[in-house]
């Protein structure tokens, strides 16, 4: 070994030792904070009883210390990952959270990656250094420093380096080449410039992030959620942030990213989970889901509601007080018109209809008794008796029933007559047949936007609940007044100038604090409340959403503070987006911003060259993103005679190639259902990917739809021609399938390959 090499190694060892010493100090600080927070939580939990105000403060403190402890625990791995050396001589270490030295005027020990001071770590270049002389990327494992990579940006410095096209190229490539674990990892240590600009963009308005496969769209979206919560904590802590993904498997895959970034208060959900009390696990054809997702379904549902507001053909006869009473058509028409003119939702307008009908029936009874002989009090008595009569109220309920969204939608989709009446202007016979299903069938994800729309159209007659709430508030106010009175009596006032309790806290404020007590975060409360509106909404795979699903999300975010992440070239849903303008124009017209991600970090160049051929065959002007690396593994294709017999051996051979990595076998839906169970039986390490936790398995069998947004070390695409032909969006699906791999790609087929793959 030359002396120069030995000197360099010695310097490197000294630098690693110095970084290790600093990292050890940071973890000691983290441990001390954990212990302090744990002790405060214990003390708070032991402090039971006391006046209501004390209990309220205890609940708030419990939540605060619990959240802080979760944050401190979540940043254990990779807590510090970088360092900035500035021209001024200052040095800042960058990490997942901020740590300070309380004994030294709160000098920063570790700068949170989201803080403005940390931004040069992601943006500084040799051409625009922003005062940065050197940027250091640390590679750590557990609490140990393994190595580092320096980028010297000062071109005049003695230790001159070159401006890399990628920030921390060696660190980035090491991360990209690492084996997949079945859970998405954060990219906080390797965020690139084009990603950082999107992550730190302002919160107001709609931001669309368009990016091809492997450009880090999902990672950018999640880091943006963490950044917004850090930067706009006051605005977002009360309303929360909603992150919407395409399916439960995807949500399971990304579930650990935000906690690792120190954020635990974000609601992760699919559109199908946004209606409290509904579990949408039913299955239906892609065509049925597409029909339900059309914007025309708004009119269909509106008509279905109006169809339940009926009038008699002539009259309906009921018995009241042992005599016949007629519910006349003209009276019902008048009452229905008055109710509809209020423009209230169905269940609220129902009260107007009933009031009008009871008034008409009251006059009918009064005429029979002799109206001239009756005064106002007599008429009120008759009205009350009519309202209490079960026969009369049942007859009126049949004309204008109180409905729930579930009742109405189930009736609509299980009745050919009701469906034909509501949809004759929008659907043909074949489409109606596609939607029909047995009564009580399980709800599907495409039903949830329809239920949400019906909840808006029907409304909820909450008069009784409001009356009960008002009664409870009166009791709480009386109780608070009593508490204050006792506290005033118990005070030992040594000085007449001392403030009394009533000087700083009145009964109404105390009662309000009673009502505000809750152990739930904003995200947890939002999950239970259909009418909750979020401070910001992030949608991943946004190109897949139907027109009806967009209505749900826009209701959840009236401020239109949204980040929409997707790629229209990967649209697989029949009712999905063709252009972003088409999606957004009904809600914000042209008032939205587009940001593009152009660098492919996931997919090696060898695989992307194959996928680019598929993209060129599609009806799109989009170009394939540029890959930053090669894997050294050429994609391969193998023709077989019998899939069931030969595929298991090919899977086992590929699994040996990826060692401890993850392998996905992507099949057309028909083969997934028919061939999947047999393959799982033949492959002990394989599972059918129909549950969120299946991604932990070495081999997972998925449809392309299930694989959306996921990545694997190796991918076997089975029968690509069938993937293309089984869906109207088949070429989009094939493009998605080919771009899930980070290292290796194989294609297995029995027939001819699609033309775009024949050069593989």
């Amino acid at each position: 070994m030359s002396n120069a090499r030995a000197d360099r190694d010695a310097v490197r060892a000294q630098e690693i030792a110095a970084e290790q010493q600093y990292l050890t100090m940071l973890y000691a600080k983290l441990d001390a904070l954990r212990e302090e927070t744990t002790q405060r939580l214990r003390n708070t939990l032991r402090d039971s009883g006391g006046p209501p105000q004390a209990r309220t403060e205890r609940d708030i403190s419990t939540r605060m210390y619990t959240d802080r402890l979760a944050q401190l625990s979540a940043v254990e791995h990779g807590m510090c990952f970088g360092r900035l050396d500035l021209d001024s001589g200052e040095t800042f270490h960058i990490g997942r959270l901020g740590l300070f030295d309380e004994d030294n005027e709160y000098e920063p020990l570790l700068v949170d990656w989201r803080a403005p001071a940390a931004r040069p770590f992601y943006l500084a270049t040799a051409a625009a250094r922003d005062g940065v002389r050197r940027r250091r990327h640390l590679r750590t494992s557990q609490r140990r420093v393994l190595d580092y990579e320096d980028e010297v940006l000062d071109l005049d410095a003695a230790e001159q380096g070159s401006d890399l096209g990628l920030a921390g190229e060696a660190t980035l490539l090491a991360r990209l080449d690492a084996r997949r674990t079945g859970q998405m990892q954060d990219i906080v240590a390797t965020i690139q410039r084009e990603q950082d600009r999107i992550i730190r963009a302002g919160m107001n308005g709609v931001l669309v992030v368009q990016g091809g496969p492997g450009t880090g769209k999902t990672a950018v979206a999640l880091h943006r959620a963490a950044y917004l919560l850090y930067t706009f904590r006051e605005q977002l802590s009360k309303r929360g942030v909603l992150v919407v993904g395409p399916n439960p498997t995807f949500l399971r895959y990304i579930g650990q990213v935000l906690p690792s970034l120190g954020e635990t208060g974000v609601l992760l959900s699919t559109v199908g989970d946004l209606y409290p009390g509904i579990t949408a696990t039913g299955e239906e054809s892609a065509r049925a889901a597409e029909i339900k997702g059309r914007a025309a379904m708004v009119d269909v549902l509106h008509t279905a509601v109006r169809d339940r507001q009926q009038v008699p053909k002539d009259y309906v006869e009921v018995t009241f007080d042992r005599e016949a009473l007629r519910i006349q058509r003209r009276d019902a028409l008048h009452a229905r018109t008055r109710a509809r003119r209020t423009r209230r939702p169905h269940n609220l307008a129902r009260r107007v209809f009933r009031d009008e009908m009871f008034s008409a029936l009251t006059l009918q009874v009064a005429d029979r008794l002799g109206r001239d002989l009756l005064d106002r009090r007599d008429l009120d008595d008759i009205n009350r008796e009519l309202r209490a009569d079960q026969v009369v109220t049942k007859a009126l309920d049949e004309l204008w029933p109180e409905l729930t969204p579930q009742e109405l939608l189930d009736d609509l989709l299980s009745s050919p007559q009701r469906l034909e009446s509501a949809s004759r202007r929008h659907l043909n016979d074949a489409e109606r047949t596609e939607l029909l299903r047995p009564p009580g069938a399980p709800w599907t994800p495409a039903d949830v936007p329809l239920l949400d729309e019906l909840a808006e159209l029907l409304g909820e007659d909450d008069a009784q609940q409001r009356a009960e709430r008002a009664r409870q508030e009166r009791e709480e106010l009386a109780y608070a007044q009593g508490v204050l009175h006792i506290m005033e009596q118990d005070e030992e006032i040594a000085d007449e100038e001392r403030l009394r309790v009533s000087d700083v806290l009145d009964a109404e404020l105390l009662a309000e604090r009673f009502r505000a007590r809750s152990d739930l975060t904003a995200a947890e409360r939002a999950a239970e409340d259909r009418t909750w509106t979020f401070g910001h909404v992030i949608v991943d795979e946004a190109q897949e959403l139907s027109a009806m699903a967009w209505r749900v999300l826009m209701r959840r975010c009236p401020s239109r503070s949204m980040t929409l992440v997707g790629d229209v070239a990967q649209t697989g849903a029949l009712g999905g987006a063709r252009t972003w303008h088409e999606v957004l124009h009904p809600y914000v017209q042209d008032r939205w911003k587009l940001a593009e991600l152009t660098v492919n970090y996931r997919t090696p160049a060898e695989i992307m060259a194959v996928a680019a051929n598929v993209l060129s065959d599609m009806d799109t002007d989009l170009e394939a993103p540029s890959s930053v690396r090669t894997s050294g593994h050429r994609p391969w294709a193998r023709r077989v005679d019998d899939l069931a017999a030969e595929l298991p051996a090919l899977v086992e051979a590929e699994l040996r190639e990826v060692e401890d990595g993850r392998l996905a076998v992507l099949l057309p839906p028909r083969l997934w259902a028919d061939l999947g169970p047999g393959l799982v039986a033949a492959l002990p390490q394989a599972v059918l990917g129909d549950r969120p936790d299946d991604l932990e398995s070495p081999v997972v069998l998925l449809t392309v739809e299930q694989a959306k947004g996921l990545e694997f070390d190796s991918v076997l695409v089975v029968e690509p021609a069938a993937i293309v032909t089984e869906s109207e969006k088949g070429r989009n699906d094939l493009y998605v399938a080919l771009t899930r791999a980070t290292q290796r790609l194989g294609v297995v087929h029995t027939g001819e390959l699609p033309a775009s793959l024949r050069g593989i």
Side-chain angles (χ1 to χ4, degrees), residues 371-623:
R371 193 189 305 185
D372 295 341
L373 302 175
L374 305 176
D375 58 18
R376 183 72 256 174
R377 185 179 301 174
D378 295 326
L379 294 177
D380 290 343
D381 289 341
I382 295 171
N383 192 292
R384 280 193 294 271
E385 291 174 7
L386 285 166
R387 291 175 182 271
D389 190 284
Q390 293 184 359
V391 175
V392 176
T393 55
K394 181 180 179 181
L396 294 181
D397 285 345
E398 290 177 356
L399 296 179
W400 194 301
E402 184 173 12
L403 298 168
T404 67
Q406 294 92 321
E407 290 170 340
L408 193 148
L409 188 59
D410 190 53
D411 288 347
L412 179 67
L413 297 180
S414 62
S415 168
Q417 296 78 21
R418 290 192 188 279
L419 186 57
E420 196 279 332
S421 175
S423 65
R424 62 169 62 97
R425 292 174 50 240
H426 300 285
L427 304 179
N428 58 39
D429 290 341
E431 290 169 333
R432 281 190 284 272
T433 300
E434 192 74 49
L435 293 185
L436 283 172
R437 65 190 193 192
W443 299 114
T444 70
D447 289 330
V448 170
L450 304 185
L451 291 169
D452 200 74
E453 191 75 30
L454 283 172
E456 296 292 314
L457 293 172
L458 294 175
E460 182 180 358
D461 189 352
D462 60 350
Q464 290 185 341
Q465 292 94 320
R466 284 188 286 109
E468 176 63 21
R469 194 180 309 124
R471 183 191 64 78
Q472 290 179 350
E473 290 178 359
R474 288 194 298 271
E475 291 181 355
E476 289 166 352
L477 180 59
Y479 176 69
Q481 289 171 335
V483 169
L484 287 178
H485 179 67
I486 294 172
M487 293 172 71
E488 292 280 8
Q489 287 183 330
D490 290 346
E491 279 185 324
E492 296 180 2
I493 305 176
D495 188 338
E496 292 183 357
E497 295 182 358
R498 177 179 171 182
L499 286 174
R500 297 172 65 83
V501 173
S502 57
D503 293 329
V504 294
L505 184 66
D506 60 25
E508 290 186 0
L509 179 59
L510 185 57
E512 183 179 344
R513 290 185 178 179
F514 295 160
R515 293 191 290 271
R517 289 180 59 193
S518 174
D519 292 333
L520 300 180
T521 65
E524 291 166 338
R525 295 198 303 274
E528 299 177 357
D529 185 354
R530 191 197 67 82
T531 63
W532 189 274
T533 57
F534 291 87
H536 193 81
V537 171
I538 294 175
V539 186
D540 203 354
E541 300 292 344
Q543 76 278 357
E544 301 296 338
L545 298 188
S546 68
M548 292 300 294
W550 280 115
R551 290 178 65 86
V552 175
L553 294 181
M554 292 299 173
R555 277 194 285 271
R556 299 297 190 276
C557 191
S559 68
R560 303 294 188 260
S561 176
M562 308 179 82
T563 303
L564 313 179
V565 180
D567 178 14
V568 291
Q570 298 186 63
T571 302
L574 297 184
R578 291 173 295 184
T579 67
W580 295 117
H581 173 81
E582 177 184 70
V583 168
L584 294 174
H585 189 266
Y587 303 103
V588 295
Q589 296 183 329
D590 295 324
R591 299 187 301 274
W592 54 277
K593 295 171 288 186
L594 176 67
E596 295 189 73
L597 293 170
T598 60
V599 179
N600 189 330
Y601 303 97
R602 175 179 65 219
T603 316
E606 299 94 332
I607 297 176
M608 204 61 221
V610 176
N613 290 334
V614 177
L615 182 64
S616 65
D617 282 350
M618 295 162 55
D619 183 19
T620 179
D621 295 329
L622 298 174
E623 296 183 0

Side-chain angles (χ1 to χ4, degrees), residues 8-290:
R8 286 197 302 271
D9 288 347
V11 170
R12 195 168 195 85
Q14 291 174 359
E15 289 291 316
I16 290 176
E19 294 292 357
Q20 180 64 63
Q21 184 178 5
Y22 197 88
L23 186 67
T24 301
M25 179 272 295
L26 290 177
Y27 273 108
K29 180 69 175 177
L30 180 69
D31 291 340
L33 285 173
R34 282 178 181 163
E35 179 58 34
E36 178 185 348
T37 305
T38 300
Q39 189 58 50
R40 289 185 176 182
L41 179 59
R42 288 172 182 161
N43 293 340
T44 301
L45 293 174
R46 280 198 295 264
D47 185 17
S48 59
Q53 184 178 359
R55 293 200 299 269
T56 300
E57 293 173 353
R58 182 194 64 204
D59 292 342
I60 294 172
S61 297
T62 298
R63 168 56 65 184
M64 180 180 67
Y65 294 139
T66 301
D67 289 347
R68 180 60 171 163
L69 197 57
Q71 181 189 47
L72 295 173
S73 299
V75 299
E76 169 70 26
H77 300 293
M79 180 177 66
C80 176
F81 52 78
R83 192 182 90 184
L84 286 176
D85 296 349
L86 306 184
D87 291 338
S88 63
E90 292 180 285
T91 296
F92 293 115
H93 280 78
I94 312 297
R96 295 176 182 274
L97 83 169
L99 294 177
F100 303 91
D101 184 357
E102 294 89 344
D103 298 328
N104 189 20
E105 298 183 349
Y106 282 86
E107 184 75 17
L109 302 174
L110 185 65
V111 176
D112 192 300
W113 68 274
R114 296 166 290 188
R119 194 169 193 192
F121 185 79
Y122 301 108
L123 293 186
T125 66
R129 295 193 296 113
D130 198 16
V132 177
R133 183 177 64 84
R134 177 172 58 185
R135 173 170 50 210
R136 171 168 290 181
H137 298 265
L138 297 174
R139 286 180 52 212
T140 63
S141 176
Q142 302 296 327
R143 298 187 172 197
R144 189 163 63 92
V145 177
L146 301 179
D147 203 351
Y148 67 88
E149 172 196 4
D150 277 349
E151 296 175 78
V152 180
L153 304 183
D154 183 359
L155 299 183
D156 296 325
E159 46 186 337
Q160 178 178 323
S162 61
D163 177 32
L164 299 173
L166 301 170
E169 183 174 16
T171 303
L172 173 64
L173 294 179
R175 171 67 69 90
L176 296 176
D177 287 335
R179 294 299 189 210
R180 268 47 195 170
T181 65
Q183 289 188 342
M184 183 178 180
Q185 303 298 311
D186 64 69
I187 62 168
V188 63
T190 58
I191 294 171
Q192 300 301 303
R193 284 189 290 275
E194 70 170 7
Q195 297 172 327
D196 186 82
R197 292 190 182 98
I198 295 170
I199 290 170
R200 297 177 192 262
M203 187 177 73
N204 295 333
V206 176
L207 175 64
V208 175
V209 182
Q210 163 70 40
T215 54
K217 298 185 298 298
T218 299
V220 165
L222 296 173
H223 287 68
R224 177 161 169 74
Y227 169 77
L228 292 177
L229 282 164
Y230 174 87
T231 307
F232 304 99
R233 180 76 63 184
E234 185 175 350
Q235 297 98 307
L236 294 178
S237 60
K238 295 180 181 179
R239 303 311 311 170
V241 173
L242 170 66
V243 175
V244 177
N247 54 58
T249 300
F250 175 83
L251 295 181
R252 169 69 169 76
Y253 177 64
I254 68 172
Q256 291 303 310
V257 173
L258 283 166
S260 74
L261 298 174
E263 296 297 343
T264 58
V266 177
L267 178 62
L268 273 63
S269 178
T270 66
V271 173
D273 293 327
L274 285 178
Y275 197 101
I278 294 296
T279 303
T281 57
E283 297 181 357
E284 62 189 342
S285 68
R287 174 57 63 188
E290 182 272 326

